[in-house]
Amino acid sequence: GNSVMKPFHLRQPWQVNEAPRYQLPPAGTSNGLRAAYAVPAAVTIAPQRVTSAYPQQLPGAYPLQRPQPVAPHRAPPLPRMLRVATAPVQLMEEPSMQSNRLPWVIQEPGDVVLTSGTTRGDWVQLLFCHLRKGWAPLSSFVPEPRGGVHGDGLYDGLNRAICSHQSEMLRVTLDPVSAASNAASQAAPSSFQLKDGSQAYVWLPPKAEAPLPLLLVLHGSRPMDWDFLSQFAERWQKDAAEYEIAVVIPESKGPTWDYLLTCQRKDMDFIESAINEVRRRVWVDDKRISVMGMSDGASLALSMALRNPGVFTTALVQATGFFHDPLPTSLKPRVYMEYGEEDKLFEAARVALPNRDRLRGDGCFVEFVMIPGAGHMVREEFFSAALDFWLA
């Protein structure tokens, strides 16, 4: 009778109509014991049906928090194209400022770059024309909506963005040239130098009585102190006179063409302007424009010809590392392609023969020459053999 009963728990949710919360006596307890439990006679206890799986809150009890589902963190969609925001961007080998710096920089705000679709933390992986990759802080860019976003369901979306960007970066447009310009071009100097933030040299035959075929020559990767243009000045003056052609040799601002480094077209803009400046000064046969290149210059030259078959009728290339697919048209440039059999950089089985077969599979006519005993460096005989192929 004097023992104090321990509280017990009801198996159903109950609502107590008065406060405070009381401990309930066992069934059959006398009114005297009810008074000992301090339960007023007016207290009513009624069952309440609930539909929730969670217990109902009782007055005076510790509040029960209904668990909320945690939504998974979803990063915003990554654009396939980004635009450099306000400052030059140094690319890194890994997503860290302590990683090795890659030997190229996106040089100007406003440049458009491609993304591979991969991010790590606050870093994004960039993808370039030759499929080389590098990392940069995502905060350095703003979205460029033209390419869509990764994961948007667009079939072959990344390849489409790459091809679109390549076509834009490689585009060459010939400006209209008036008859008056052609007439004035008869008095053009035998050679001259062009400058527009970059430089190019032009060699011409002593006398031109008909429109001149035009040869654009693109150098390979070089040390910045190597004077490529003056080194070959004598040979180009000789070829211009012997073959009766105009020879245009632009120079990249960096150690090689920026298209190959960052997939930009500042060098391409200068190349395009140099071609058109020569066409304004000299009587040029627009149906006989060819592009020649060695090593890095060959990769750019062949890609330019394949993407601009209405401008370049022929590509003359030596030691080509890679090239972009031609436009899906029936118009294709003719290609003279030479490699050294001992080229350790672009080996025959790994690079030279697959490049040849790929071109032929795309419908191009390819004159392929493999030189026994030759390496990566251009031979003197390449120039005459290539020019004979072009002008035959």
Side-chain angles (χ1 to χ4, degrees):
N2 293 329
S3 62
V4 179
M5 298 185 65
K6 296 181 180 179
F8 63 93
H9 301 282
L10 303 175
R11 294 182 179 274
Q12 301 183 54
W14 297 85
Q15 181 179 7
V16 178
N17 296 332
E18 291 184 10
R21 182 181 180 188
Y22 296 97
Q23 179 180 321
L24 302 181
T29 305
S30 67
N31 289 336
L33 286 179
R34 286 180 63 87
Y37 276 91
V39 180
V43 171
T44 59
I45 302 172
Q48 179 180 356
R49 185 180 300 277
V50 294
T51 58
S52 172
Y54 300 100
Q56 182 174 343
Q57 177 66 47
L58 297 177
Y62 188 82
L64 296 173
Q65 299 295 328
R66 188 183 299 272
Q68 297 296 322
V70 179
H73 173 71
R74 296 184 183 276
L78 178 66
R80 293 191 183 94
M81 291 182 175
L82 295 173
R83 188 177 292 275
V84 181
T86 59
V89 179
Q90 171 68 60
L91 300 184
M92 311 301 287
E93 187 174 320
E94 296 294 337
S96 167
M97 294 305 296
Q98 284 69 48
S99 175
N100 295 328
R101 293 187 175 192
L102 294 178
W104 67 87
V105 175
I106 302 170
Q107 297 178 354
E108 300 291 342
D111 287 347
V112 174
V113 299
L114 295 163
T115 64
S116 69
T118 301
T119 59
R120 287 190 200 168
D122 297 329
W123 290 72
V124 61
Q125 189 180 57
L126 304 183
L127 182 66
F128 296 95
C129 61
H130 36 47
L131 303 184
R132 186 180 294 171
K133 298 176 182 178
W135 291 87
L138 188 55
S139 59
S140 301
F141 306 94
V142 295
E144 170 55 51
R146 289 176 300 159
V149 297
H150 293 279
D152 58 10
L154 178 64
Y155 173 72
D156 209 19
L158 182 57
N159 285 339
R160 291 189 187 189
I162 292 172
C163 290
S164 173
H165 191 52
Q166 289 170 352
S167 293
E168 183 179 342
M169 295 298 105
L170 291 168
R171 184 189 63 252
V172 176
T173 302
L174 299 182
D175 295 339
V177 177
S178 66
S181 296
N182 282 333
S185 68
Q186 300 301 311
S190 59
S191 64
F192 56 91
Q193 183 177 4
L194 301 172
K195 284 190 176 180
D196 182 20
S198 299
Q199 66 177 359
Y201 288 84
V202 181
W203 286 271
L204 304 170
K207 185 177 180 180
E209 298 180 353
L212 295 176
L214 186 147
L215 176 66
L216 173 70
V217 181
L218 303 180
H219 63 74
S221 179
R222 62 191 176 128
M224 290 302 294
D225 57 355
W226 180 43
D227 192 348
F228 173 85
L229 298 176
S230 63
Q231 180 176 349
F232 290 95
E234 183 176 349
R235 97 145 287 109
W236 295 120
Q237 184 62 70
K238 170 179 165 294
D239 286 342
E242 180 180 345
Y243 288 94
E244 296 186 341
I245 59 176
V247 181
V248 183
I249 306 184
E251 189 173 13
S252 64
K253 284 187 176 181
T256 190
W257 309 99
D258 64 348
Y259 177 75
L260 304 182
L261 294 179
T262 62
C263 207
Q264 302 305 319
R265 62 163 293 139
K266 296 177 184 64
D267 286 334
M268 281 294 303
D269 285 339
F270 177 69
I271 290 171
E272 183 180 60
S273 68
I275 293 173
N276 284 312
E277 180 63 23
V278 172
R279 292 174 60 249
R280 281 188 286 272
R281 298 195 193 189
V282 180
W283 195 9
V284 169
D285 184 351
D286 286 346
K287 295 182 179 180
R288 302 179 77 190
I289 299 179
S290 178
V291 58
M292 173 186 286
M294 289 70 70
S295 193
D296 274 6
S299 296
L300 180 57
L302 185 52
S303 297
M304 288 171 60
L306 294 171
R307 286 285 167 169
N308 299 276
V311 175
F312 302 104
T313 60
T314 310
L316 313 170
V317 291
Q318 184 269 340
T320 307
F322 75 99
F323 58 89
H324 296 306
D325 292 335
L327 290 180
T329 66
S330 59
L331 186 61
K332 310 286 185 185
R334 298 167 64 244
V335 180
Y336 181 88
M337 176 176 274
E338 180 178 298
Y339 287 91
E341 194 173 52
E342 303 300 322
D343 190 337
K344 303 302 181 185
L345 187 59
F346 301 141
E347 298 170 347
R350 183 175 57 88
V351 178
L353 297 178
N355 279 351
R356 177 201 65 186
D357 296 343
R358 181 176 151 207
L359 278 173
R360 288 176 175 171
D362 286 331
C364 295
F365 177 84
V366 182
E367 180 77 19
F368 182 83
V369 181
M370 181 70 74
I371 305 300
H376 186 72
M377 297 302 294
V378 62
R379 304 177 308 130
E380 179 67 23
E381 294 81 3
F382 163 77
F383 300 103
S384 57
L387 292 175
D388 288 341
F389 171 83
W390 172 36
L391 298 171

